[in-house]
Amino acid sequence: MIVHDTITDTLLYVQNVSSDLDAVKNIIEASNSSIGNQISMLNVFVSGFSLLFVIAGVFLGMYISRLEKRVVKIKDDIERKETTVKMLAETVEETDKKIQSDIGGLYVKLREEESLALLKRLEEEPQDITNIASLLLARQLRPDGFLILKTAFLKLLQLGEVANEGDFVYPSYKEQYLLLFFQHYMRFSMKDDSIREELCPFFSKGIRVAFKRDIINTTVDLCYALSDNSATFDKGTILVDYLKAINSSKYSDLAELKYILENNISNQNLLPNAIEKCTQDNVYLTLFGITPSAPTEE
């Protein structure tokens, strides 16, 4: 009986151990399943977080890129403004130096620009020559002013008889223009058909009101025009008319004019032929020592 009880107890013990083992196994399996689920959830969480991190990283990168571009643009703008400021500072400094060291030259340039502005005013209102002529006559006019003055003059001529209106104080509008052409633009005027035809009959009046310096400059300009091989106008007739006008003026014996005419006309025959033509017309040029022939005794 004792042996049987022992065996029974042993079997019960084994069954109990087996039950405990199954319980432990179940517990372990439940734990493993729970851990597996947690790991799966953790993987999902990590994946989702990684995706969010990547998306955030993309947007952050785009933002940083835009911010970088803005910073670069601002930097470039600052550099350009600094360059502009430096250039302006240098310009101001140079202008100040020029003003201090060459105020006379600056004044001349300002007068030249003002003279062009006055000529353009005539282009708009040709009859305003009455108010402007005296200013322009007292200045040196640049070559580029000729076409502006010509345009104004031709507009004046289109007004008909108005161009010849004048009084005891002022010459006519037309004569005031011709005086400007005579003193400042003789060279260009002789080569321009429309101006030359109007100016040649004006020689005597132009010389009569000219100062010594004016007549010298005008004569030099005329010699340049007469020496232009491309010019097609009748040079001999122009020179004859000019010499006759000088001969009847206060400059009939001005030595500087004789020197200029003899040394600044390229065609060596032009001046002698013009002198001879004047003599044939009974105009004896004092400037060249021409006198009437003494009458022959019968």
Side-chain angles (χ1 to χ4, degrees), residues 29-47:
E29 288 179 352
S31 297
N32 288 338
S33 176
S34 176
I35 292 172
N37 291 334
Q38 291 180 0
I39 291 174
S40 297
M41 291 180 64
L42 182 62
N43 287 335
V44 172
F45 177 77
V46 170
S47 299

Side-chain angles (χ1 to χ4, degrees), residues 74-292:
I74 292 173
K75 180 183 176 183
D76 292 340
D77 290 340
I78 292 174
E79 290 179 351
R80 282 196 296 269
K81 289 179 180 179
E82 286 180 350
T83 302
T84 302
V85 169
K86 289 180 180 179
M87 291 176 62
L88 289 174
E90 291 175 357
T91 302
V92 170
E93 185 178 357
E94 290 176 2
T95 303
D96 182 64
K97 289 181 179 179
K98 184 176 292 186
I99 291 173
Q100 298 299 327
S101 62
D102 188 25
I103 191 168
L106 181 62
Y107 178 69
V108 169
K109 289 183 179 180
L110 290 174
R111 278 175 62 92
E112 287 179 350
E113 292 302 320
E114 183 186 21
S115 297
L116 280 179
L118 292 173
L119 288 171
K120 290 177 181 178
R121 165 61 184 166
L122 292 177
E123 200 172 26
E124 296 173 359
E125 181 47 70
Q127 290 175 266
D128 204 20
I129 187 68
T130 302
N131 300 315
I132 295 176
S134 58
L135 294 173
L136 296 177
L137 287 170
R139 302 180 179 189
Q140 294 291 329
L141 299 184
R142 289 179 358 196
D144 54 352
F146 172 74
L147 291 178
I148 302 175
L149 185 63
K150 174 186 173 181
T151 300
F153 180 62
L154 295 180
K155 287 180 69 174
L156 176 72
L157 295 182
Q158 291 175 1
L159 299 178
E161 286 303 316
V162 173
N164 297 314
E165 291 181 0
D167 52 38
F168 294 105
V169 179
Y170 295 106
S172 68
Y173 297 121
K174 179 178 177 180
E175 288 177 334
Q176 292 181 71
Y177 275 97
L178 292 176
L179 185 58
L180 286 172
F181 286 120
F182 182 83
Q183 290 194 11
H184 292 299
Y185 297 118
M186 187 66 158
R187 179 178 183 178
F188 298 118
S189 298
M190 290 299 98
K191 297 166 65 175
D192 188 288
D193 294 341
S194 58
I195 305 300
R196 183 178 62 253
E197 293 178 1
E198 299 287 347
L199 187 57
C200 288
F202 184 76
F203 282 166
S204 294
K205 287 185 178 180
I207 294 172
R208 185 170 65 249
V209 300
F211 294 113
K212 178 180 176 180
R213 180 188 175 196
D214 298 328
I215 193 61
I216 287 175
N217 290 337
T218 295
T219 303
V220 170
D221 252 12
L222 176 65
C223 290
Y224 277 123
L226 295 174
S227 299
D228 188 347
N229 293 328
S230 64
T232 58
F233 61 89
D234 188 345
K235 299 176 183 179
T237 300
I238 299 296
L239 183 56
V240 167
D241 291 343
Y242 191 74
L243 292 175
K244 288 180 178 180
I246 289 177
N247 198 61
S248 61
S249 73
K250 57 187 175 183
Y251 301 111
S252 60
D253 57 355
L254 185 61
E256 288 95 327
L257 296 185
K258 179 176 184 293
Y259 179 84
I260 291 169
L261 290 165
E262 289 179 340
N263 292 277
N264 289 275
I265 300 176
S266 60
N267 187 334
Q268 299 298 316
N269 297 320
L270 190 59
L271 180 61
N273 291 341
I275 294 173
E276 183 179 355
K277 181 64 171 66
C278 289
T279 303
Q280 291 173 357
D281 294 341
N282 296 320
V283 177
Y284 305 100
L285 302 177
T286 306
L287 189 64
F288 297 97
I290 306 299
T291 58

Side-chain angles (χ1 to χ4, degrees), residues 17-30:
V17 170
S18 177
S19 297
D20 291 340
L21 288 175
D22 289 338
V24 170
K25 181 180 178 182
N26 290 333
I27 291 171
I28 291 173
E29 288 179 352

